[in-house]
Amino acid sequence: MATEAPAVARDLVLRTEARRQASSAALDSSLRAKLGQFFTPAPAADFIASLAELAEADTLRILDPGAGAGSLTASLVARLLVERPGVKINVTACEVDPQLYPTLQTTLDDCVETAKSLNAHVEVNLVRADFISWATEGDGLLAGPPEPFDLVIMNPPYKKLAASSRERKLVSSVCTETSNLYSAFMALGVHLLRPGGQLVAITPRSFANGPYFRLFRQYFLDRMHLDRVHVFEARNKVFADTAVLQENVIFAATRVATAERGPVVVSTSRSYSDEVQQRSVAYAEMVNPDDREFFIHISADEEDGQLAASHANLPATLPDLGLQVSTGRVVDFRSKEHLRPDHVDGAVPLIYPLHMRDGAIVWPVPGAKKNNAIMLNGETEKLTFPSGYYVVVKRLSSKEEKRRVIAAVFDPEQVPCERIGFENHVNVFHVDGAGLPVEVARGLCIWLNSTLLDRFIRRFNGHTQVNATDLRNMRYPSIEQLAAVGSSLQSGTWLGQEEIDELISQHIK
């Protein structure tokens, strides 16, 4: 019978994949988008299941929240039937979408029958409910929250959670504040693990940095040890039969009670079927113990590691430079009555991303969809900055743009004004609310637009948003280096990418 196990287990995975494909084709795509559903293809499910450490126990209690068609459960059960044939497997699968109940129940029954054919034992429990409600409130009025699990395996749904949403409040009541459905599932997965239990998941990479996930990262890192992290070089290979281009990461982490942190295995491949390259990195290289933002720095290979070391060796932080960076103070929908499409007496420039062009601010832009000015009065003065040189950075870059960071200099010689408003979709570098020295401003702008800086920020930023927090947590060249770079740029001129990178290589080692 043991010689039959691999083939029998593989057939279980193949049958589940056929059901997944049929469900994916049949379900309403708009409803899937509303629920944040992205089903796990068999190659992905097999890879994720392969990262689980199979504990030496008589029974394994497994949780698959947001189970979909049951692909992760099937791949994990198939592995267990081959590698741990004597273990008793107890699977709980949660799913909120009633359309998937017949498919998921069939997959779970298939797991049971496949195990019986190999003289193994699998018990299953399909929870037909919202995972967040079930995990926080239990199943019914008399039932408390579920017992801890040995292993949680998940491909959680991806969807923003409104601050006032019931789901967000429930998660916050039992573990932590978080802003997305996928991180809510992760937090509850941690909450439901026994000490020594493991969480294995595929999720967007965006939780690793940025202010919106700070409290979640703190909760997660206080309780979990990252054992393995895998990243993909090609985003479109992860969910090959969907339109998902999200930067994803697969990780395995263990619930621990100690502050000790051992090395982390970091691996990379182009897709699931390609050769996997891996290396071991010190935990402090991935999570700086002194970082109050709890950023998770994922260096995929040796070159990435060298890049991380180069970034760490830059001489200055923003406080060292005497600079600050803030999100633009003008939130246009809150200031509608003060905004003007064109400059009028009593108004000052209002800078949006659309005003940024070739390292400079081009203002006004006649006929633009956004406003060009904001009235200066007692209500709006606190939203503006005095005239001076500022460095402006887009908060959002499109996937088509070559660089993650797009920066420009606000030059008061080009845009004469008394004060300036910066809209909320840009970040602004300033000195205690006032302008920068001109050469420092120009040098900082060139640095932010360099290929080297782009590589630095892509190393830990898994999304297209660049927050002020991201910029605060970076290291920078010295003030002297920035001024030296800036002195090479004259007012009203800009450089090509090769010229920018050459300037950086000359002045910044």
Side-chain angles (χ1 to χ4, degrees), residues 336-415:
K336 284 183 179 179
E337 68 271 25
H338 305 295
L339 306 186
R340 301 292 182 269
D342 300 297
H343 179 69
V344 296
D345 289 343
V348 299
L350 177 59
I351 306 304
Y352 284 84
L354 67 89
H355 295 105
M356 301 171 63
R357 190 179 306 164
D358 294 333
I361 298 298
V362 177
W363 184 92
V365 177
K369 293 183 179 180
K370 299 292 185 180
N371 292 283
N372 279 290
I374 182 170
M375 298 303 296
L376 188 63
N377 53 47
E379 289 185 52
T380 63
E381 184 168 3
K382 65 180 179 296
L383 303 178
T384 63
F385 290 77
S387 181
Y389 290 91
Y390 297 89
V391 177
V392 185
V393 175
K394 287 185 181 181
R395 286 185 58 201
L396 293 170
S397 59
S398 69
K399 292 182 174 68
E400 292 74 29
E401 287 181 299
K402 293 181 179 180
R403 293 193 313 275
R404 186 66 52 85
V405 177
I406 309 294
V409 173
F410 182 94
D411 185 339
E413 295 183 10
Q414 301 295 318
V415 186

Side-chain angles (χ1 to χ4, degrees), residues 240-424:
D241 60 350
T242 73
V244 177
L245 288 179
Q246 175 72 257
E247 288 190 39
N248 288 278
V249 61
I250 295 175
F251 67 87
T254 301
R255 177 123 195 196
V256 293
T258 174
E260 292 183 14
R261 294 290 185 266
V264 185
V265 174
V266 180
S267 58
T268 183
S269 65
R270 182 167 178 79
S271 67
Y272 298 103
S273 58
D274 294 323
E275 181 181 358
V276 174
Q277 303 291 331
Q278 67 180 48
R279 66 194 189 95
S280 179
V281 302
Y283 202 86
E285 180 182 327
M286 181 168 285
V287 182
N288 184 337
D290 298 323
D291 181 8
R292 295 183 179 181
E293 297 297 325
F294 307 96
F295 278 12
I296 301 172
H297 299 264
I298 303 171
S299 300
D301 50 31
E302 291 295 341
E303 182 180 356
D304 239 9
Q306 293 169 4
L307 195 65
S310 297
H311 177 258
N313 287 331
L314 286 169
T317 62
L318 276 187
D320 294 334
L321 298 174
L323 304 181
Q324 297 87 41
V325 62
S326 307
T327 303
R329 298 170 180 169
V330 179
V331 180
D332 55 6
F333 70 86
R334 294 176 182 165
S335 304
K336 284 183 179 179
E337 68 271 25
H338 305 295
L339 306 186
R340 301 292 182 269
D342 300 297
H343 179 69
V344 296
D345 289 343
V348 299
L350 177 59
I351 306 304
Y352 284 84
L354 67 89
H355 295 105
M356 301 171 63
R357 190 179 306 164
D358 294 333
I361 298 298
V362 177
W363 184 92
V365 177
K369 293 183 179 180
K370 299 292 185 180
N371 292 283
N372 279 290
I374 182 170
M375 298 303 296
L376 188 63
N377 53 47
E379 289 185 52
T380 63
E381 184 168 3
K382 65 180 179 296
L383 303 178
T384 63
F385 290 77
S387 181
Y389 290 91
Y390 297 89
V391 177
V392 185
V393 175
K394 287 185 181 181
R395 286 185 58 201
L396 293 170
S397 59
S398 69
K399 292 182 174 68
E400 292 74 29
E401 287 181 299
K402 293 181 179 180
R403 293 193 313 275
R404 186 66 52 85
V405 177
I406 309 294
V409 173
F410 182 94
D411 185 339
E413 295 183 10
Q414 301 295 318
V415 186
C417 57
E418 176 186 354
R419 295 184 72 85
I420 320 114
F422 295 104
E423 199 271 336
N424 194 248

Side-chain angles (χ1 to χ4, degrees), residues 426-444:
V426 300
N427 297 308
V428 187
F429 285 87
H430 55 91
V431 179
D432 295 328
L436 284 66
V438 56
E439 291 185 346
V440 172
R442 290 172 179 165
L444 178 59

Side-chain angles (χ1 to χ4, degrees), residues 56-347:
E56 293 294 333
D58 295 332
T59 302
L60 280 178
R61 299 191 71 245
I62 298 166
L63 171 65
D64 183 355
S71 300
L72 285 174
T73 289
S75 288
L76 183 58
V77 168
R79 182 185 168 202
L80 285 164
L81 292 176
V82 174
E83 298 182 23
R84 295 287 310 283
V87 70
K88 181 179 178 181
I89 305 167
N90 188 312
V91 176
T92 297
C94 294
E95 179 52 53
V96 68
D97 185 357
Q99 297 180 89
L100 290 170
Y101 293 163
T103 299
L104 180 53
Q105 187 66 64
T106 300
T107 296
L108 295 175
D109 292 342
D110 198 355
C111 290
V112 173
E113 294 305 316
T114 301
K116 284 182 180 178
S117 73
L118 295 171
N119 293 323
H121 185 84
V122 174
E123 292 182 1
V124 296
N125 174 31
L126 172 54
V127 177
R128 294 172 170 85
D130 163 36
F131 169 64
I132 290 179
S133 298
W134 175 78
T136 56
E137 298 179 329
D139 190 6
L141 294 175
L142 300 179
E147 294 295 319
F149 290 88
D150 301 297
L151 178 62
V152 178
I153 188 167
M154 67 168 73
N155 171 14
Y158 313 163
K159 190 178 71 172
K160 290 183 178 178
L161 290 177
S164 59
S165 68
R166 176 176 176 271
E167 295 94 339
R168 191 160 172 172
K169 291 177 180 177
L170 284 173
V171 177
S172 180
S173 69
V174 299
C175 44
T176 186
E177 173 67 25
T178 191
S179 59
N180 198 292
L181 202 53
Y182 85 83
S183 52
F185 271 54
M186 290 167 66
L188 289 173
V190 172
H191 178 68
L192 293 175
L193 274 176
R194 66 164 177 80
Q198 191 177 44
L199 170 66
V200 183
I202 179 168
T203 73
R205 186 174 168 172
S206 52
F207 76 90
N209 68 288
Y212 300 118
F213 293 96
R214 180 187 178 279
L215 291 175
F216 165 76
R217 283 193 302 274
Q218 182 177 9
Y219 175 84
F220 182 88
L221 293 171
D222 280 349
R223 292 160 178 79
M224 303 294 288
H225 180 277
L226 285 165
D227 307 316
R228 171 81 176 267
V229 177
H230 184 87
V231 294
F232 296 93
E233 297 170 11
R235 289 184 298 180
N236 62 347
K237 301 294 183 182
V238 180
F239 294 100
D241 60 350
T242 73
V244 177
L245 288 179
Q246 175 72 257
E247 288 190 39
N248 288 278
V249 61
I250 295 175
F251 67 87
T254 301
R255 177 123 195 196
V256 293
T258 174
E260 292 183 14
R261 294 290 185 266
V264 185
V265 174
V266 180
S267 58
T268 183
S269 65
R270 182 167 178 79
S271 67
Y272 298 103
S273 58
D274 294 323
E275 181 181 358
V276 174
Q277 303 291 331
Q278 67 180 48
R279 66 194 189 95
S280 179
V281 302
Y283 202 86
E285 180 182 327
M286 181 168 285
V287 182
N288 184 337
D290 298 323
D291 181 8
R292 295 183 179 181
E293 297 297 325
F294 307 96
F295 278 12
I296 301 172
H297 299 264
I298 303 171
S299 300
D301 50 31
E302 291 295 341
E303 182 180 356
D304 239 9
Q306 293 169 4
L307 195 65
S310 297
H311 177 258
N313 287 331
L314 286 169
T317 62
L318 276 187
D320 294 334
L321 298 174
L323 304 181
Q324 297 87 41
V325 62
S326 307
T327 303
R329 298 170 180 169
V330 179
V331 180
D332 55 6
F333 70 86
R334 294 176 182 165
S335 304
K336 284 183 179 179
E337 68 271 25
H338 305 295
L339 306 186
R340 301 292 182 269
D342 300 297
H343 179 69
V344 296
D345 289 343

